[in-house]
Amino acid sequence: MKLSGVNYLFRQGVRNIWTNRIMSVASFCILMVSLLLVGFSTLFIVNVNSIIGGIENKNEVIIYLDDDISQEKIGAMENELRAIENISDVVFYSKDEAFAQMKSEMADSEELFQYVGEESPLPDSYRVKVENIEKMSSTLMAINNLDGIYSVKAPNDFVNVLTELKRFISLISVTVLAALVIVSLVMISNASRASVEMRKREIEIMKYVGATNAFVKTPFFVEGMVIGILAGAVSAVITLAGYSKVMEMIMSQQSLWSAIGSGGFTPTSSVAVKIVIGYIAAGAVISAVGTVMSTKKYVKV
Amino acid sequence: MVELKNVSVTYSNGVDALNDVNIKIKDGEFVFVVGKSGAGKSTFIRLLLKEIEPTKGRIQVNGFNLTKMKKRNAYRLRRTIGCVFQDFKLIESMNVYDNVAFVLRCIDASNKYIRNRVPYVIDLVGLKDKAYCKPSELSGGEKQRAAIARALVNDPQLIIADEPTGNLDPALKHDIVELLQAINDCGTTVIMVTHEHEIVQEFGGRIISMQDGRVVFDDIIKSSYDLERQ
C-alpha cells in the first residue's frame, strides 16, 4: 500500500470519530466506565492483599529456651533457626533484655516487680518471623525438633483466621474481577457493534468497489484505538485523583492506619505509572480489537 | 466477458433461485436482464459480484474463474466491475467528489491520479457544478449520475446496473439509460437489470428475460424508435 493510502486510512479513522460523534461519545463513556470499574476493583483488591501482607509481616513466633542452655548452644541455634525454610528474621532476646522490656511495658505496675526482685524470671528467647503463614504448622514442627527449646509461642488462632480470610478474599477478588471484566467486554462489544452497525452501508459500499478487508478494517481499528487511548487517559486521571483523595482521607484517620499500619496501604506513587500505562494499553487494545471484531460480520459481503 | 455455464443456485432455505442457467455476454455488449420479482435477477447479479457461490455450474467474469476464486480475493474481480444500484448507495457524509474518489482510494490509486480522474468523470456525467454537494442536496437523477460516476471512475470492464431507474421520474429514467448507453459506446460492457418493460421496449437491444430461475428469452429486439422508423 502506498504511503498516501496509509495516511488516508489513518486520517479517515480519526475523522470518523467526529463524523460519528454520538456513537464515539457513547463508546468512550462505556469504555471509561468499564475501565474505572475494573481499575477501582483491582486497586481495592491490591490494598486488601497489601493490608493482609502487612499483618502477615507482623506475625511473630517466640521460642523460649531451656534455662540450662549453654552460650555455645544459643549461638548455634541461631544458625539452625535461619536454616529452617520460611523463617525470615531471627532476633535473640536475653532473659535480661526480655525482663527490661517487660518492665517498660508494665511501667504502671511497678509494685508487682518488687516481689520478683532484680533477677529476671524470664528465659532467654528467640523471636522469629514467618514468611508464609500458610506454612506455619510445618515451620513450628521444624522449630520444635531443635534441642534446647523450653516452649514455643505462636499465634495459631490468628494465623488460622488470617489464612482463611486470605483464601476467601482471593476467591471473591477473582470472581468479582472476572465478572467485571466479562460485563465490561460485553458492554464494549455492544457499543462497538452498534457503532459499526450504523456504518454497515459504508462497509458494504467499500466491499462492492473492491476494497480489501484490511482497507475496510483499518479506519475502524484507528478509530477504536484513538477512542480507547482517550478513554484510558481520562480514566487514569480520574482513578489517580480518586485514589489520592481516598489515601489522603485514610492517612488523616490516625486511629485507622495505626491499627492497620500505614505500610499496609499501597501509596499512589507506587501505582501511578502502572495505572496510566495499564489503562491506556487496555483501553486501546480492547477498543481497537472490539471494533475490528464487530466489522467481521459486514466484511463478508 | 461474462459466461455462466449450467449454473444453479439453491439457497439454504431450499429455494431454487437459479436453475441450470446458461448466459454468455461478450465484451462491449449492452444487455437488459428483465423479469418479475423472484425471477432470479438479483441472484444473477450476486453471482457476478461473487457475493454468493453457485450450487452447481461454472462462472467466468472479466477473465476470472469465479468458481475457483477464493472469497478473500473477490476484491480483484470487483475492481474490474462498476456497480450502480437502485438506492444509489452513496455515502451520505461525503460529497460527490469524495464518493467518487473513494473508489480510487479503495484501490490505492495515487493522489495525483485521483485529482485528475475524479473531476473528469464527474464532468462526464454532468455533475460538474454539484461536485461538492452532499447526496442529501441532490435530486434522484443527480444521485444516480453520481453513482454512475463512481461506477465509472476506475475504468471498469463491466458495469452492472441493478434497477438504476427504479427510484426515478420517467424523464430522468430515459437520461440515465442514455448515459449508460453512452458509456457502452466507449466499449464498456453494461448489464442493466430492470423490471420496467417500457424502457426495454424504448431502447431495444439484447434482452435476457428470466422467470422462476430460468432464462426464458434471450434475443435482440428492435427499439420503439426503430419500429417507428420502419
Side-chain angles (χ1 to χ4, degrees), chain B residues 146-180:
Chain B
I148 291 172
R150 187 183 61 190
L152 204 57
V153 74
N154 62 342
D155 202 13
Q157 290 170 251
L158 167 68
I159 284 187
I160 297 174
D162 186 10
E163 305 271 7
T165 55
N167 281 343
L168 304 178
D169 295 337
L172 293 172
K173 287 177 184 183
H174 183 88
D175 289 352
I176 292 298
V177 182
E178 269 192 342
L179 183 58
L180 289 171

PDB file of all heavy atoms in Angstrom, chain B residues 146-180:
ATOM      1  N   ALA B 146     -24.241  10.517  -9.934  1.00  0.00           N
ATOM      2  CA  ALA B 146     -23.072  10.411  -9.049  1.00  0.00           C
ATOM      3  C   ALA B 146     -22.675   8.939  -8.876  1.00  0.00           C
ATOM      4  O   ALA B 146     -21.491   8.592  -8.896  1.00  0.00           O
ATOM      5  CB  ALA B 146     -23.385  11.035  -7.694  1.00  0.00           C
ATOM      6  N   ALA B 147     -23.703   8.089  -8.740  1.00  0.00           N
ATOM      7  CA  ALA B 147     -23.434   6.647  -8.582  1.00  0.00           C
ATOM      8  C   ALA B 147     -22.790   6.091  -9.858  1.00  0.00           C
ATOM      9  O   ALA B 147     -21.897   5.243  -9.792  1.00  0.00           O
ATOM     10  CB  ALA B 147     -24.725   5.911  -8.263  1.00  0.00           C
ATOM     11  N   ILE B 148     -23.239   6.598 -11.014  1.00  0.00           N
ATOM     12  CA  ILE B 148     -22.648   6.132 -12.293  1.00  0.00           C
ATOM     13  C   ILE B 148     -21.194   6.620 -12.399  1.00  0.00           C
ATOM     14  O   ILE B 148     -20.310   5.888 -12.839  1.00  0.00           O
ATOM     15  CB  ILE B 148     -23.510   6.604 -13.496  1.00  0.00           C
ATOM     16  CG1 ILE B 148     -24.846   5.845 -13.479  1.00  0.00           C
ATOM     17  CG2 ILE B 148     -22.783   6.369 -14.821  1.00  0.00           C
ATOM     18  CD1 ILE B 148     -25.882   6.339 -14.477  1.00  0.00           C
ATOM     19  N   ALA B 149     -20.966   7.860 -11.955  1.00  0.00           N
ATOM     20  CA  ALA B 149     -19.587   8.387 -11.964  1.00  0.00           C
ATOM     21  C   ALA B 149     -18.692   7.513 -11.094  1.00  0.00           C
ATOM     22  O   ALA B 149     -17.554   7.199 -11.456  1.00  0.00           O
ATOM     23  CB  ALA B 149     -19.581   9.827 -11.457  1.00  0.00           C
ATOM     24  N   ARG B 150     -19.226   7.101  -9.965  1.00  0.00           N
ATOM     25  CA  ARG B 150     -18.452   6.242  -9.064  1.00  0.00           C
ATOM     26  C   ARG B 150     -18.171   4.889  -9.711  1.00  0.00           C
ATOM     27  O   ARG B 150     -17.084   4.330  -9.571  1.00  0.00           O
ATOM     28  CB  ARG B 150     -19.225   6.051  -7.753  1.00  0.00           C
ATOM     29  CG  ARG B 150     -18.428   5.316  -6.694  1.00  0.00           C
ATOM     30  CD  ARG B 150     -19.229   5.090  -5.446  1.00  0.00           C
ATOM     31  NE  ARG B 150     -20.410   4.274  -5.734  1.00  0.00           N
ATOM     32  CZ  ARG B 150     -21.396   4.065  -4.874  1.00  0.00           C
ATOM     33  NH1 ARG B 150     -21.361   4.635  -3.690  1.00  0.00           N
ATOM     34  NH2 ARG B 150     -22.427   3.318  -5.199  1.00  0.00           N
ATOM     35  N   ALA B 151     -19.188   4.377 -10.444  1.00  0.00           N
ATOM     36  CA  ALA B 151     -19.008   3.075 -11.091  1.00  0.00           C
ATOM     37  C   ALA B 151     -17.989   3.157 -12.222  1.00  0.00           C
ATOM     38  O   ALA B 151     -17.331   2.194 -12.565  1.00  0.00           O
ATOM     39  CB  ALA B 151     -20.349   2.582 -11.629  1.00  0.00           C
ATOM     40  N   LEU B 152     -17.878   4.363 -12.786  1.00  0.00           N
ATOM     41  CA  LEU B 152     -17.071   4.564 -13.997  1.00  0.00           C
ATOM     42  C   LEU B 152     -15.616   4.928 -13.690  1.00  0.00           C
ATOM     43  O   LEU B 152     -14.727   4.734 -14.524  1.00  0.00           O
ATOM     44  CB  LEU B 152     -17.734   5.723 -14.756  1.00  0.00           C
ATOM     45  CG  LEU B 152     -17.546   5.858 -16.255  1.00  0.00           C
ATOM     46  CD1 LEU B 152     -17.995   4.595 -16.952  1.00  0.00           C
ATOM     47  CD2 LEU B 152     -18.360   7.059 -16.752  1.00  0.00           C
ATOM     48  N   VAL B 153     -15.388   5.441 -12.492  1.00  0.00           N
ATOM     49  CA  VAL B 153     -14.122   6.132 -12.225  1.00  0.00           C
ATOM     50  C   VAL B 153     -12.877   5.236 -12.322  1.00  0.00           C
ATOM     51  O   VAL B 153     -11.819   5.698 -12.723  1.00  0.00           O
ATOM     52  CB  VAL B 153     -14.187   6.865 -10.856  1.00  0.00           C
ATOM     53  CG1 VAL B 153     -14.105   5.901  -9.687  1.00  0.00           C
ATOM     54  CG2 VAL B 153     -13.101   7.920 -10.752  1.00  0.00           C
ATOM     55  N   ASN B 154     -13.029   3.959 -12.008  1.00  0.00           N
ATOM     56  CA  ASN B 154     -11.826   3.109 -12.109  1.00  0.00           C
ATOM     57  C   ASN B 154     -11.771   2.363 -13.437  1.00  0.00           C
ATOM     58  O   ASN B 154     -11.112   1.332 -13.549  1.00  0.00           O
ATOM     59  CB  ASN B 154     -11.720   2.142 -10.916  1.00  0.00           C
ATOM     60  CG  ASN B 154     -12.891   1.189 -10.857  1.00  0.00           C
ATOM     61  OD1 ASN B 154     -13.916   1.453 -11.467  1.00  0.00           O
ATOM     62  ND2 ASN B 154     -12.757   0.096 -10.132  1.00  0.00           N
ATOM     63  N   ASP B 155     -12.491   2.931 -14.424  1.00  0.00           N
ATOM     64  CA  ASP B 155     -12.449   2.428 -15.793  1.00  0.00           C
ATOM     65  C   ASP B 155     -12.733   0.922 -15.836  1.00  0.00           C
ATOM     66  O   ASP B 155     -11.901   0.127 -16.301  1.00  0.00           O
ATOM     67  CB  ASP B 155     -11.047   2.722 -16.385  1.00  0.00           C
ATOM     68  CG  ASP B 155     -11.091   2.723 -17.894  1.00  0.00           C
ATOM     69  OD1 ASP B 155     -12.211   2.747 -18.454  1.00  0.00           O
ATOM     70  OD2 ASP B 155     -10.013   2.654 -18.520  1.00  0.00           O
ATOM     71  N   PRO B 156     -13.924   0.515 -15.393  1.00  0.00           N
ATOM     72  CA  PRO B 156     -14.196  -0.934 -15.307  1.00  0.00           C
ATOM     73  C   PRO B 156     -14.466  -1.566 -16.682  1.00  0.00           C
ATOM     74  O   PRO B 156     -14.851  -0.868 -17.613  1.00  0.00           O
ATOM     75  CB  PRO B 156     -15.454  -0.980 -14.448  1.00  0.00           C
ATOM     76  CG  PRO B 156     -16.158   0.294 -14.758  1.00  0.00           C
ATOM     77  CD  PRO B 156     -15.099   1.312 -15.004  1.00  0.00           C
ATOM     78  N   GLN B 157     -14.281  -2.870 -16.751  1.00  0.00           N
ATOM     79  CA  GLN B 157     -14.583  -3.582 -17.995  1.00  0.00           C
ATOM     80  C   GLN B 157     -16.092  -3.817 -18.112  1.00  0.00           C
ATOM     81  O   GLN B 157     -16.613  -3.969 -19.190  1.00  0.00           O
ATOM     82  CB  GLN B 157     -13.898  -4.960 -17.979  1.00  0.00           C
ATOM     83  CG  GLN B 157     -12.390  -4.893 -18.094  1.00  0.00           C
ATOM     84  CD  GLN B 157     -11.779  -6.262 -17.821  1.00  0.00           C
ATOM     85  OE1 GLN B 157     -11.161  -6.470 -16.800  1.00  0.00           O
ATOM     86  NE2 GLN B 157     -11.974  -7.190 -18.739  1.00  0.00           N
ATOM     87  N   LEU B 158     -16.723  -3.876 -16.930  1.00  0.00           N
ATOM     88  CA  LEU B 158     -18.152  -4.221 -16.898  1.00  0.00           C
ATOM     89  C   LEU B 158     -18.887  -3.322 -15.917  1.00  0.00           C
ATOM     90  O   LEU B 158     -18.392  -3.077 -14.820  1.00  0.00           O
ATOM     91  CB  LEU B 158     -18.286  -5.694 -16.448  1.00  0.00           C
ATOM     92  CG  LEU B 158     -19.653  -6.223 -16.051  1.00  0.00           C
ATOM     93  CD1 LEU B 158     -20.587  -6.302 -17.264  1.00  0.00           C
ATOM     94  CD2 LEU B 158     -19.530  -7.606 -15.406  1.00  0.00           C
ATOM     95  N   ILE B 159     -20.058  -2.817 -16.343  1.00  0.00           N
ATOM     96  CA  ILE B 159     -20.907  -2.078 -15.392  1.00  0.00           C
ATOM     97  C   ILE B 159     -22.181  -2.881 -15.179  1.00  0.00           C
ATOM     98  O   ILE B 159     -22.837  -3.297 -16.147  1.00  0.00           O
ATOM     99  CB  ILE B 159     -21.213  -0.649 -15.901  1.00  0.00           C
ATOM    100  CG1 ILE B 159     -19.972   0.229 -15.712  1.00  0.00           C
ATOM    101  CG2 ILE B 159     -22.404  -0.053 -15.158  1.00  0.00           C
ATOM    102  CD1 ILE B 159     -20.157   1.681 -15.994  1.00  0.00           C
ATOM    103  N   ILE B 160     -22.490  -3.119 -13.908  1.00  0.00           N
ATOM    104  CA  ILE B 160     -23.731  -3.812 -13.561  1.00  0.00           C
ATOM    105  C   ILE B 160     -24.651  -2.778 -12.937  1.00  0.00           C
ATOM    106  O   ILE B 160     -24.314  -2.169 -11.922  1.00  0.00           O
ATOM    107  CB  ILE B 160     -23.475  -4.957 -12.563  1.00  0.00           C
ATOM    108  CG1 ILE B 160     -22.574  -6.022 -13.194  1.00  0.00           C
ATOM    109  CG2 ILE B 160     -24.795  -5.577 -12.119  1.00  0.00           C
ATOM    110  CD1 ILE B 160     -22.137  -7.123 -12.227  1.00  0.00           C
ATOM    111  N   ALA B 161     -25.796  -2.562 -13.590  1.00  0.00           N
ATOM    112  CA  ALA B 161     -26.748  -1.581 -13.075  1.00  0.00           C
ATOM    113  C   ALA B 161     -27.997  -2.327 -12.621  1.00  0.00           C
ATOM    114  O   ALA B 161     -28.699  -2.921 -13.436  1.00  0.00           O
ATOM    115  CB  ALA B 161     -27.081  -0.557 -14.144  1.00  0.00           C
ATOM    116  N   ASP B 162     -28.218  -2.333 -11.317  1.00  0.00           N
ATOM    117  CA  ASP B 162     -29.344  -3.072 -10.741  1.00  0.00           C
ATOM    118  C   ASP B 162     -30.512  -2.119 -10.513  1.00  0.00           C
ATOM    119  O   ASP B 162     -30.491  -1.332  -9.577  1.00  0.00           O
ATOM    120  CB  ASP B 162     -28.894  -3.720  -9.426  1.00  0.00           C
ATOM    121  CG  ASP B 162     -29.963  -4.629  -8.832  1.00  0.00           C
ATOM    122  OD1 ASP B 162     -30.963  -4.897  -9.525  1.00  0.00           O
ATOM    123  OD2 ASP B 162     -29.789  -5.067  -7.678  1.00  0.00           O
ATOM    124  N   GLU B 163     -31.497  -2.201 -11.379  1.00  0.00           N
ATOM    125  CA  GLU B 163     -32.673  -1.319 -11.329  1.00  0.00           C
ATOM    126  C   GLU B 163     -32.248   0.141 -11.158  1.00  0.00           C
ATOM    127  O   GLU B 163     -32.724   0.818 -10.232  1.00  0.00           O
ATOM    128  CB  GLU B 163     -33.594  -1.720 -10.156  1.00  0.00           C
ATOM    129  CG  GLU B 163     -34.024  -3.168 -10.152  1.00  0.00           C
ATOM    130  CD  GLU B 163     -35.305  -3.441 -10.940  1.00  0.00           C
ATOM    131  OE1 GLU B 163     -35.794  -2.501 -11.608  1.00  0.00           O
ATOM    132  OE2 GLU B 163     -35.771  -4.575 -10.924  1.00  0.00           O
ATOM    133  N   PRO B 164     -31.413   0.663 -12.012  1.00  0.00           N
ATOM    134  CA  PRO B 164     -30.892   2.028 -11.792  1.00  0.00           C
ATOM    135  C   PRO B 164     -31.952   3.108 -11.973  1.00  0.00           C
ATOM    136  O   PRO B 164     -31.759   4.239 -11.539  1.00  0.00           O
ATOM    137  CB  PRO B 164     -29.799   2.158 -12.858  1.00  0.00           C
ATOM    138  CG  PRO B 164     -30.211   1.245 -13.947  1.00  0.00           C
ATOM    139  CD  PRO B 164     -30.898   0.101 -13.280  1.00  0.00           C
ATOM    140  N   THR B 165     -33.082   2.740 -12.609  1.00  0.00           N
ATOM    141  CA  THR B 165     -34.122   3.750 -12.852  1.00  0.00           C
ATOM    142  C   THR B 165     -35.313   3.567 -11.907  1.00  0.00           C
ATOM    143  O   THR B 165     -36.289   4.300 -12.005  1.00  0.00           O
ATOM    144  CB  THR B 165     -34.617   3.634 -14.315  1.00  0.00           C
ATOM    145  OG1 THR B 165     -35.045   2.275 -14.532  1.00  0.00           O
ATOM    146  CG2 THR B 165     -33.523   3.970 -15.298  1.00  0.00           C
ATOM    147  N   GLY B 166     -35.189   2.616 -11.010  1.00  0.00           N
ATOM    148  CA  GLY B 166     -36.318   2.263 -10.146  1.00  0.00           C
ATOM    149  C   GLY B 166     -36.845   3.394  -9.295  1.00  0.00           C
ATOM    150  O   GLY B 166     -38.048   3.466  -9.032  1.00  0.00           O
ATOM    151  N   ASN B 167     -35.981   4.318  -8.874  1.00  0.00           N
ATOM    152  CA  ASN B 167     -36.418   5.396  -7.977  1.00  0.00           C
ATOM    153  C   ASN B 167     -36.511   6.741  -8.689  1.00  0.00           C
ATOM    154  O   ASN B 167     -36.463   7.778  -8.048  1.00  0.00           O
ATOM    155  CB  ASN B 167     -35.426   5.533  -6.814  1.00  0.00           C
ATOM    156  CG  ASN B 167     -35.655   4.480  -5.747  1.00  0.00           C
ATOM    157  OD1 ASN B 167     -36.722   3.862  -5.712  1.00  0.00           O
ATOM    158  ND2 ASN B 167     -34.673   4.247  -4.909  1.00  0.00           N
ATOM    159  N   LEU B 168     -36.604   6.717 -10.018  1.00  0.00           N
ATOM    160  CA  LEU B 168     -36.533   7.982 -10.746  1.00  0.00           C
ATOM    161  C   LEU B 168     -37.824   8.314 -11.493  1.00  0.00           C
ATOM    162  O   LEU B 168     -38.630   7.426 -11.808  1.00  0.00           O
ATOM    163  CB  LEU B 168     -35.376   7.927 -11.763  1.00  0.00           C
ATOM    164  CG  LEU B 168     -33.985   7.605 -11.209  1.00  0.00           C
ATOM    165  CD1 LEU B 168     -32.983   7.543 -12.349  1.00  0.00           C
ATOM    166  CD2 LEU B 168     -33.557   8.635 -10.177  1.00  0.00           C
ATOM    167  N   ASP B 169     -37.987   9.615 -11.795  1.00  0.00           N
ATOM    168  CA  ASP B 169     -39.124  10.066 -12.600  1.00  0.00           C
ATOM    169  C   ASP B 169     -38.932   9.562 -14.036  1.00  0.00           C
ATOM    170  O   ASP B 169     -37.797   9.361 -14.478  1.00  0.00           O
ATOM    171  CB  ASP B 169     -39.167  11.606 -12.634  1.00  0.00           C
ATOM    172  CG  ASP B 169     -39.441  12.170 -11.253  1.00  0.00           C
ATOM    173  OD1 ASP B 169     -40.006  11.419 -10.441  1.00  0.00           O
ATOM    174  OD2 ASP B 169     -39.046  13.323 -10.992  1.00  0.00           O
ATOM    175  N   PRO B 170     -40.044   9.419 -14.794  1.00  0.00           N
ATOM    176  CA  PRO B 170     -39.939   8.880 -16.163  1.00  0.00           C
ATOM    177  C   PRO B 170     -38.921   9.618 -17.036  1.00  0.00           C
ATOM    178  O   PRO B 170     -38.148   8.991 -17.761  1.00  0.00           O
ATOM    179  CB  PRO B 170     -41.357   9.043 -16.697  1.00  0.00           C
ATOM    180  CG  PRO B 170     -42.219   8.989 -15.494  1.00  0.00           C
ATOM    181  CD  PRO B 170     -41.421   9.615 -14.389  1.00  0.00           C
ATOM    182  N   ALA B 171     -38.896  10.958 -16.946  1.00  0.00           N
ATOM    183  CA  ALA B 171     -37.984  11.723 -17.800  1.00  0.00           C
ATOM    184  C   ALA B 171     -36.523  11.426 -17.453  1.00  0.00           C
ATOM    185  O   ALA B 171     -35.671  11.301 -18.340  1.00  0.00           O
ATOM    186  CB  ALA B 171     -38.259  13.211 -17.639  1.00  0.00           C
ATOM    187  N   LEU B 172     -36.263  11.269 -16.158  1.00  0.00           N
ATOM    188  CA  LEU B 172     -34.895  11.008 -15.704  1.00  0.00           C
ATOM    189  C   LEU B 172     -34.449   9.593 -16.056  1.00  0.00           C
ATOM    190  O   LEU B 172     -33.275   9.345 -16.313  1.00  0.00           O
ATOM    191  CB  LEU B 172     -34.793  11.219 -14.190  1.00  0.00           C
ATOM    192  CG  LEU B 172     -34.986  12.654 -13.711  1.00  0.00           C
ATOM    193  CD1 LEU B 172     -35.064  12.696 -12.191  1.00  0.00           C
ATOM    194  CD2 LEU B 172     -33.835  13.540 -14.189  1.00  0.00           C
ATOM    195  N   LYS B 173     -35.403   8.667 -16.081  1.00  0.00           N
ATOM    196  CA  LYS B 173     -35.089   7.276 -16.418  1.00  0.00           C
ATOM    197  C   LYS B 173     -34.432   7.222 -17.791  1.00  0.00           C
ATOM    198  O   LYS B 173     -33.416   6.546 -17.985  1.00  0.00           O
ATOM    199  CB  LYS B 173     -36.376   6.436 -16.447  1.00  0.00           C
ATOM    200  CG  LYS B 173     -36.951   6.168 -15.075  1.00  0.00           C
ATOM    201  CD  LYS B 173     -38.252   5.394 -15.164  1.00  0.00           C
ATOM    202  CE  LYS B 173     -38.823   5.249 -13.748  1.00  0.00           C
ATOM    203  NZ  LYS B 173     -40.016   4.484 -13.673  1.00  0.00           N
ATOM    204  N   HIS B 174     -35.030   7.936 -18.703  1.00  0.00           N
ATOM    205  CA  HIS B 174     -34.532   7.974 -20.075  1.00  0.00           C
ATOM    206  C   HIS B 174     -33.085   8.493 -20.103  1.00  0.00           C
ATOM    207  O   HIS B 174     -32.215   7.908 -20.758  1.00  0.00           O
ATOM    208  CB  HIS B 174     -35.448   8.886 -20.905  1.00  0.00           C
ATOM    209  CG  HIS B 174     -35.075   8.935 -22.343  1.00  0.00           C
ATOM    210  ND1 HIS B 174     -35.568   8.037 -23.267  1.00  0.00           N
ATOM    211  CD2 HIS B 174     -34.222   9.759 -23.008  1.00  0.00           C
ATOM    212  CE1 HIS B 174     -35.034   8.320 -24.448  1.00  0.00           C
ATOM    213  NE2 HIS B 174     -34.227   9.360 -24.320  1.00  0.00           N
ATOM    214  N   ASP B 175     -32.831   9.561 -19.336  1.00  0.00           N
ATOM    215  CA  ASP B 175     -31.478  10.169 -19.291  1.00  0.00           C
ATOM    216  C   ASP B 175     -30.444   9.184 -18.775  1.00  0.00           C
ATOM    217  O   ASP B 175     -29.331   9.097 -19.293  1.00  0.00           O
ATOM    218  CB  ASP B 175     -31.472  11.401 -18.369  1.00  0.00           C
ATOM    219  CG  ASP B 175     -32.230  12.564 -18.975  1.00  0.00           C
ATOM    220  OD1 ASP B 175     -32.608  12.442 -20.167  1.00  0.00           O
ATOM    221  OD2 ASP B 175     -32.453  13.559 -18.263  1.00  0.00           O
ATOM    222  N   ILE B 176     -30.828   8.457 -17.727  1.00  0.00           N
ATOM    223  CA  ILE B 176     -29.876   7.529 -17.101  1.00  0.00           C
ATOM    224  C   ILE B 176     -29.526   6.397 -18.069  1.00  0.00           C
ATOM    225  O   ILE B 176     -28.353   6.029 -18.222  1.00  0.00           O
ATOM    226  CB  ILE B 176     -30.451   6.973 -15.773  1.00  0.00           C
ATOM    227  CG1 ILE B 176     -30.547   8.095 -14.716  1.00  0.00           C
ATOM    228  CG2 ILE B 176     -29.608   5.806 -15.237  1.00  0.00           C
ATOM    229  CD1 ILE B 176     -29.220   8.732 -14.314  1.00  0.00           C
ATOM    230  N   VAL B 177     -30.540   5.851 -18.740  1.00  0.00           N
ATOM    231  CA  VAL B 177     -30.256   4.746 -19.683  1.00  0.00           C
ATOM    232  C   VAL B 177     -29.404   5.276 -20.841  1.00  0.00           C
ATOM    233  O   VAL B 177     -28.478   4.602 -21.310  1.00  0.00           O
ATOM    234  CB  VAL B 177     -31.563   4.097 -20.189  1.00  0.00           C
ATOM    235  CG1 VAL B 177     -31.242   2.930 -21.133  1.00  0.00           C
ATOM    236  CG2 VAL B 177     -32.385   3.590 -19.027  1.00  0.00           C
ATOM    237  N   GLU B 178     -29.696   6.503 -21.266  1.00  0.00           N
ATOM    238  CA  GLU B 178     -28.884   7.102 -22.346  1.00  0.00           C
ATOM    239  C   GLU B 178     -27.420   7.254 -21.909  1.00  0.00           C
ATOM    240  O   GLU B 178     -26.502   7.009 -22.684  1.00  0.00           O
ATOM    241  CB  GLU B 178     -29.453   8.469 -22.732  1.00  0.00           C
ATOM    242  CG  GLU B 178     -30.475   8.364 -23.848  1.00  0.00           C
ATOM    243  CD  GLU B 178     -30.840   9.706 -24.448  1.00  0.00           C
ATOM    244  OE1 GLU B 178     -30.580  10.739 -23.798  1.00  0.00           O
ATOM    245  OE2 GLU B 178     -31.368   9.720 -25.567  1.00  0.00           O
ATOM    246  N   LEU B 179     -27.250   7.645 -20.665  1.00  0.00           N
ATOM    247  CA  LEU B 179     -25.889   7.801 -20.130  1.00  0.00           C
ATOM    248  C   LEU B 179     -25.173   6.444 -20.109  1.00  0.00           C
ATOM    249  O   LEU B 179     -24.003   6.340 -20.505  1.00  0.00           O
ATOM    250  CB  LEU B 179     -25.970   8.387 -18.712  1.00  0.00           C
ATOM    251  CG  LEU B 179     -24.655   8.685 -18.002  1.00  0.00           C
ATOM    252  CD1 LEU B 179     -23.783   9.650 -18.792  1.00  0.00           C
ATOM    253  CD2 LEU B 179     -24.919   9.272 -16.616  1.00  0.00           C
ATOM    254  N   LEU B 180     -25.890   5.410 -19.674  1.00  0.00           N
ATOM    255  CA  LEU B 180     -25.293   4.060 -19.650  1.00  0.00           C
ATOM    256  C   LEU B 180     -24.960   3.607 -21.073  1.00  0.00           C
ATOM    257  O   LEU B 180     -23.927   2.959 -21.294  1.00  0.00           O
ATOM    258  CB  LEU B 180     -26.242   3.065 -18.975  1.00  0.00           C
ATOM    259  CG  LEU B 180     -26.400   3.218 -17.454  1.00  0.00           C
ATOM    260  CD1 LEU B 180     -27.526   2.329 -16.917  1.00  0.00           C
ATOM    261  CD2 LEU B 180     -25.091   2.881 -16.727  1.00  0.00           C
TER     262      LEU B 180
END
